[in-house]
């Protein structure tokens, strides 16, 4: 039978809880439904508490029970860090925690508590990059603007306090290192929580006997979320214990998983009885006698050591008593000798008293003188006591006056060192000795002389300082006038700069308008280019077709010319033959008309051929002119 509760191995934070309680946390309580009758509940106990103070993942918590907490998930209110970062003991504790964490995570470098007292900015960036790489292994520290990157990373991670950029310039300074160290400790706690959650899958997990089963039931998730929301609201209102919510949540879980209270109680009773029986059997068994004997041996050795120490104490006490006894014996012997001496003196005085011869008047006179002498002795004793008391009071007053003088002398020396008047080689001493030395041999006249000498030197120094101050004041006034003039010049230049900026703005607007017009013009030209290109392609197509037709017409005209020429030649041969026959037949006839007719026919054929060829050349020239004009227009665009 498994136990109902199990303490977790370690806390996420190294700091102690604010309210110590044995209450069982119900956050990760996941009932087991392996047994159909009632199920098994495994509720982990609160995590272990160490001697250090706890640092919360969402910032430190206020200690007032009824005060509302500041949430880092809403609002822009600037939170005040309640941690005692200016306490040296707390700072040393955080430094030790940081050093231990770096040692555990195998930091690639030599880090000690002494080096972490005031680290340089380079060392801090190296430590920050190493710790943040535990959250994001792909992270690399940028080479520029790290003073903005580190606060941004902490803000993105949810760090509830403000870390200024100026603190990144001097990390190891005494006034900035505690705040930076607090942020680093918070980042360490974040890394520990992240590692624990990534290793154990804490979300809705069951830690019973090392199992990591996840409860996927809708009812369980709803109960868990309701419980979490309710306890978190109570926590934000200042509560630290949630016994009622835990009891309500446990009752709902029992109802959800049909837990049989009677059977559970009987099983617990049976487990208790079996545990008692096992414990009794272990006590009765004799299988581990060697361990018992070893334990008894250790106890006896401890008792022997105690007895030996007690014996040594007794011996030392005995030696002290013997020394005291020898001292008392010596005092007793001295007292005995003194008693013997007093007895002898008493016997001698008694003998003198018995042998002397005085009358009652002499005895009366002697007694009266004795009383007078006793009164004189008493008065002188009182006067002596008064004189001693007066001397004591005077010594006390002298000591107080001496202490006051020493304090004032120390203040004088401190102020003189601050003003660089002592020693003699100081900057403002000018070779004079302003130091007042205490000596018993000094008398009032010496002190007055020393005081007068120092006062004269100080008055001279004050006069020089006043002159220097007046000179510096004049210089300051002249510089202020120069500054005012420069400020007026700056204001004038600022106005000129404002006017120039206004002109630049207008020019920018005009430029933007011109650019828009140019863009519209380019669009229009591109559209026109497209239309011209289309027209050019159409013209090229038409020119090609016209050129082909002209070539065909030329070929046809040439063919026709050749045919006409051939027909003319045929006709010429026919005419020549006819003329030859006519010449043979009529030699006496005139040849003027036939020759003229032939010449006319030849001229007519030549004219027809020339006109046809000229028309073709004109058409070709027109086409070439059109092409050249089109190409020139395209090139001009």
């Amino acid at each position: 039978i498994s136990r109902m509760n199990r303490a977790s191995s370690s806390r996420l934070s190294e700091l102690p809880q604010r309210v110590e309680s044995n209450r069982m946390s119900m956050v990760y309580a996941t009932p087991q439904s392996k047994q159909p009758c009632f199920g098994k509940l495994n509720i982990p106990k609160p995590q272990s508490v160490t001697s250090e103070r706890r640092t919360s993942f969402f910032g430190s918590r206020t200690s007032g029970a009824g005060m509302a907490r500041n949430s880092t998930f809403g609002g822009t209110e600037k939170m005040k860090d309640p941690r005692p970062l200016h306490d040296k003991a707390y700072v040393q504790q955080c430094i030790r925690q940081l050093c231990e964490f770096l040692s555990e995570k195998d930091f690639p470098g030599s880090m000690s508590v002494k080096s972490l007292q005031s680290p340089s900015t380079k060392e801090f960036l190296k430590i920050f990059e190493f710790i943040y790489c535990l959250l994001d292994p792909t992270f690399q520290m940028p080479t520029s603007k790290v003073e903005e990157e580190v606060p941004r990373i902490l803000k993105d991670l949810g760090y509830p306090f403000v870390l200024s950029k100026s603190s990144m310039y001097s990390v190891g300074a005494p006034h900035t290192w505690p705040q930076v160290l607090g942020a680093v400790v918070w980042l360490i706690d974040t890394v520990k929580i992240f590692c624990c959650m990534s290793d154990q899958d804490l979300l809705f997990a069951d830690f019973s006997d090392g199992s990591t089963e996840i409860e996927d039931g809708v009812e369980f998730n709803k109960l868990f979320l309701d419980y979490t929301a309710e306890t978190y609201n109570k926590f934000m209102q200042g509560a630290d214990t949630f016994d009622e919510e835990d009891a309500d949540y446990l009752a709902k879980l029992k109802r959800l998983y049909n837990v049989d209270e009677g059977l559970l109680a009987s099983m617990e009773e049976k487990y208790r009885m079996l545990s008692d029986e096992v414990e009794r059997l272990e006590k009765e068994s004799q299988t581990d006698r060697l361990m018992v004997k070893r334990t008894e041996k250790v106890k006896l050795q401890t008792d022997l050591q105690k007895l030996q120490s007690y014996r040594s104490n007794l011996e030392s006490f005995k030696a002290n008593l013997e020394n005291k006894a020898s001292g008392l014996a010596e005092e007793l012997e001295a007292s005995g000798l003194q008693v013997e001496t007093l007895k002898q003196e008493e016997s001698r005085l008694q003998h003198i008293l018995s042998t002397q011869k005085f009358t009652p008047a002499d005895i009366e006179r002697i007694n009266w003188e004795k009383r007078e002498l006793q009164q004189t002795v008493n008065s002188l004793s009182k006067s002596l006591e008064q004189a001693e008391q007066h001397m004591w009071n005077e010594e006390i007053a002298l000591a107080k006056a001496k202490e006051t003088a020493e304090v004032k002398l120390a203040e004088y020396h401190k102020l003189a060192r601050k003003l660089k008047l002592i020693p003699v080689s100081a900057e403002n001493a000018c070779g004079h000795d302003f130091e007042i030395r205490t000596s018993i041999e000094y008398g009032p006249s010496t002190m007055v002389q020393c005081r007068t000498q120092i006062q004269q030197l100080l008055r001279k120094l004050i006069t020089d300082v006043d002159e220097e101050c007046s000179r510096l004041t004049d210089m300051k006034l002249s510089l202020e006038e120069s500054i005012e003039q420069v400020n007026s010049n700056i204001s004038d230049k600022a106005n000129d700069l404002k006017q120039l900026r206004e002109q630049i703005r207008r020019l920018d607007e005009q430029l933007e308008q011109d650019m828009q017009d140019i863009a519209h013009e380019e669009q229009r030209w591109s559209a026109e280019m497209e239309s011209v290109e289309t027209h050019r392609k159409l013209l090229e197509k038409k020119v090609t077709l016209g050129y082909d037709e002209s070539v065909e017409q030329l070929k046809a005209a040439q063919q026709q010319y050749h045919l006409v020429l051939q027909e003319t030649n045929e006709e010429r041969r026919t005419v020549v033959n006819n003329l030859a026959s006519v010449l043979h037949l009529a030699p006496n006839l005139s040849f003027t008309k036939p020759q003229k007719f032939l010449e006319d026919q030849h001229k007519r054929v030549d004219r027809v051929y020339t006109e046809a060829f000229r028309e073709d050349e004109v058409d070709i020239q027109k086409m070439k002119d059109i092409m050249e004009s089109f190409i020139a227009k395209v090139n001009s665009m």
Side-chain angles (χ1 to χ4, degrees):
I1 301 173
S2 64
R3 294 173 299 174
M4 290 294 294
N5 298 321
R6 180 174 61 86
S8 59
S9 60
S10 63
R11 287 182 62 227
L12 300 181
S13 176
E14 297 295 333
L15 301 178
Q17 292 180 349
R18 183 179 54 188
V19 178
E20 297 182 358
S21 175
N22 295 325
R23 177 184 58 84
M24 294 184 297
S25 176
M26 308 303 295
V27 175
Y28 301 111
T30 307
Q32 301 292 313
S33 57
K34 295 180 180 178
Q35 299 180 6
C37 58
F38 61 93
K40 181 176 68 175
L41 292 176
N42 181 30
I43 304 172
K45 291 181 180 179
Q47 297 174 342
S48 62
V49 178
T50 63
S51 62
E52 298 179 359
R53 187 180 170 192
R54 182 178 65 180
T55 302
S56 175
F57 177 70
F58 298 104
S60 299
R61 295 160 53 181
T62 56
S63 59
M67 298 172 62
R69 291 175 170 83
N70 293 325
S71 174
T72 60
F73 294 105
T76 59
E77 181 181 358
K78 182 178 179 182
M79 295 180 60
K80 183 179 180 182
D81 196 342
R83 296 175 294 179
L85 295 177
H86 296 288
D87 187 4
K88 293 183 178 179
Y90 181 75
V91 171
Q92 294 299 321
Q93 176 183 336
C94 293
I95 290 175
R96 289 194 297 271
Q97 183 180 351
L98 174 59
C99 188
E100 292 174 359
F101 178 80
L102 295 177
S103 300
E104 291 175 0
K105 299 298 181 180
D106 298 330
F107 178 70
S110 59
M111 280 295 166
S112 61
V113 176
K114 184 177 180 180
S115 63
L116 291 175
Q117 296 296 329
S118 118
S120 61
T121 304
K122 185 177 180 181
E123 293 175 348
F124 166 72
L125 294 176
K126 190 175 180 182
I127 293 172
F128 182 84
E129 182 178 5
F130 173 75
I131 297 174
Y132 189 73
C133 284
L134 298 176
L135 295 174
D136 185 8
T138 62
F139 173 74
Q140 290 184 353
M141 183 63 70
T143 57
S144 62
K145 293 186 178 180
V146 293
E147 67 276 2
E148 297 179 358
E149 188 69 17
V150 172
R152 185 191 64 78
I153 291 173
L154 291 173
K155 184 178 180 182
D156 294 341
L157 287 177
Y159 185 60
F161 310 113
V162 178
L163 190 65
S164 62
K165 294 190 295 184
S166 60
S167 60
M168 294 293 103
Y169 294 104
S170 57
V171 174
H175 63 283
T176 58
W177 174 233
Q179 282 77 16
V180 178
L181 180 62
V184 173
V185 171
W186 180 88
L187 184 60
I188 289 175
D189 289 340
T190 304
V191 171
K192 290 180 180 179
I193 293 173
F194 175 76
C195 294
C196 187
M197 292 178 69
S198 60
D199 292 341
Q200 299 181 3
D201 293 330
L202 289 178
L203 188 58
F204 304 119
D206 180 19
F207 298 101
S208 106
D209 300 330
S211 63
T212 57
E213 298 178 358
I214 303 300
E215 181 63 51
D216 294 328
V218 177
E219 295 84 359
F220 170 76
N221 291 338
K222 184 176 182 302
L223 289 177
F224 174 74
L225 292 175
D226 293 340
Y227 167 77
T228 305
E230 187 174 359
T231 53
Y232 182 73
N233 290 330
K234 292 291 184 65
F235 172 78
M236 295 303 296
Q237 294 174 2
D240 288 306
T241 58
F242 312 99
D243 296 334
E244 295 180 0
E245 290 77 6
D246 291 346
D248 189 14
Y249 180 60
L250 183 60
K252 290 180 181 179
L253 288 177
K254 288 179 180 180
R255 287 198 302 271
L256 179 62
Y257 290 96
N258 298 322
V259 177
D260 191 351
E261 294 287 346
L263 183 58
L264 188 61
S266 64
M267 295 296 286
E268 288 179 355
E269 183 66 23
K270 186 177 180 181
Y271 172 73
R272 186 182 60 78
M273 293 173 62
L274 290 174
S275 300
D276 294 340
E277 184 69 19
V278 169
E279 186 178 357
R280 186 180 62 79
L281 291 175
E282 288 179 353
K283 288 181 180 179
E284 292 178 357
S285 66
Q286 302 296 326
T287 58
D288 200 4
R289 292 182 179 180
L290 181 61
M291 184 61 68
V292 174
K293 295 298 183 183
R294 287 178 178 174
T295 306
E296 291 179 356
K297 180 182 177 182
V298 171
K299 291 181 179 178
L300 291 175
Q301 289 178 352
T302 305
D303 295 338
L304 179 61
Q305 292 177 357
K306 291 180 179 179
L307 287 174
Q308 290 176 352
S309 63
Y310 182 67
R311 180 184 174 184
S312 62
N313 293 330
L314 286 177
E315 289 177 353
S316 62
F317 183 68
K318 180 181 177 182
N320 292 329
L321 289 179
E322 288 177 354
N323 294 328
K324 289 181 179 180
S326 62
L328 290 174
E330 293 176 356
E331 291 179 0
L332 181 62
E333 185 177 357
S335 299
L337 294 174
Q338 188 176 4
V339 167
E340 290 295 333
T341 304
L342 291 174
K343 284 182 179 180
Q344 292 176 3
E345 183 68 22
E346 184 182 2
S347 62
R348 186 180 66 81
L349 293 174
Q350 189 69 31
H351 177 70
I352 293 171
L353 180 64
S354 61
T355 57
Q356 69 180 358
K357 295 179 180 180
F358 289 102
T359 61
D362 295 332
I363 295 172
E364 184 78 19
R365 182 177 53 80
I366 290 170
N367 289 331
W368 181 80
E369 290 178 356
K370 180 181 179 181
R371 286 194 295 272
E372 289 290 333
L373 291 173
Q374 187 66 34
Q375 290 178 359
T376 305
V377 168
N378 291 332
S379 62
L380 291 175
S381 298
K382 289 181 180 179
S383 300
L384 179 61
E385 290 177 357
Q386 291 177 359
E388 288 178 351
Q389 184 67 29
H390 181 68
M391 183 179 70
W392 175 252
N393 293 331
E394 290 295 331
E395 288 179 354
I396 291 174
L398 179 62
K400 290 182 179 179
K402 187 177 181 181
E403 289 178 358
T404 305
E406 288 178 354
V407 171
K408 291 183 178 180
L409 186 60
E411 291 178 356
Y412 166 74
H413 286 166
K414 183 178 179 181
L415 182 60
R417 287 190 181 91
K418 188 181 292 185
L419 296 174
K420 298 180 181 180
L421 296 176
I422 56 175
V424 180
S425 59
E427 181 180 354
N428 298 328
C430 298
H432 301 292
D433 188 7
F434 289 93
E435 185 175 3
I436 300 175
R437 296 175 180 83
T438 58
S439 177
I440 302 175
E441 298 177 357
Y442 282 180
S445 60
T446 307
M447 295 299 296
V448 170
Q449 183 180 0
C450 182
R451 180 179 179 181
T452 305
Q453 182 180 0
I454 292 175
Q455 283 181 352
Q456 290 177 357
L457 294 175
L458 288 176
R459 287 191 184 98
K460 182 179 179 182
L461 183 61
I462 289 170
T463 304
D464 296 338
V465 170
D466 290 336
E467 292 177 357
E468 185 68 19
C469 287
S470 62
R471 187 180 65 81
L472 292 176
T473 303
D474 297 336
M475 187 182 295
K476 179 184 176 183
L477 293 174
S478 63
L479 289 176
E480 286 179 353
E481 292 177 357
S482 302
I483 289 170
E484 289 179 358
Q485 185 177 0
V486 171
N487 288 330
S488 62
N489 293 332
I490 289 172
S491 62
D492 295 337
K493 296 298 182 182
N495 294 327
D496 296 339
L497 182 61
K498 186 176 180 181
Q499 293 177 1
L500 290 175
R501 286 179 179 173
E502 184 66 23
Q503 292 179 2
I504 290 171
R505 185 183 64 78
R506 292 176 182 176
L507 291 175
D508 289 338
E509 292 177 357
Q510 184 66 29
L511 179 61
E512 185 177 0
Q513 185 65 31
D514 293 341
M515 291 296 291
Q516 292 178 359
D517 296 339
I518 290 170
H520 292 307
E521 188 70 19
E522 287 180 354
Q523 292 178 358
R524 186 175 63 80
W525 277 106
S526 61
E528 187 174 353
M529 281 289 293
E530 290 177 357
S531 63
V532 169
E533 185 68 21
T534 305
H535 185 63
R536 183 183 66 81
K537 290 179 180 179
L538 183 60
L539 287 177
E540 285 181 354
K541 185 176 180 182
K542 290 182 179 181
V543 166
T544 304
L545 293 176
Y547 180 74
D548 293 338
E549 291 178 358
S550 300
V551 169
E552 290 178 357
Q553 290 178 3
L554 179 60
K555 288 180 180 179
Q558 289 178 354
Q559 290 177 0
Q560 187 178 1
Y561 171 73
H562 289 300
L563 290 175
V564 170
L565 183 60
Q566 188 176 3
E567 290 178 357
T568 305
N569 291 331
E570 290 293 333
E571 290 180 358
R572 183 179 295 176
R573 283 194 297 270
T574 304
V575 170
V576 169
N577 292 330
N578 293 328
L579 286 175
S581 62
V582 168
L583 287 174
H584 285 291
L585 294 176
N588 296 322
L589 293 177
S590 177
F591 292 98
T592 305
K593 290 184 179 180
Q595 187 176 1
K596 187 177 180 180
F597 174 76
L598 289 174
E599 290 177 357
D600 293 336
Q601 289 294 329
H602 189 269
K603 289 181 180 179
R604 185 176 61 83
V605 172
D606 290 336
R607 186 173 61 253
V608 170
Y609 174 75
T610 302
E611 290 178 356
F613 187 74
R614 188 181 295 111
E615 289 178 358
D616 294 335
E617 287 183 350
V618 169
D619 294 335
I620 292 170
Q621 187 64 34
K622 288 182 179 180
M623 291 179 184
K624 288 182 179 180
D625 295 337
I626 291 171
M627 288 294 294
E628 289 177 356
S629 63
F630 179 75
I631 291 169
K633 188 175 182 180
V634 170
N635 292 329
S636 65
M637 292 178 182

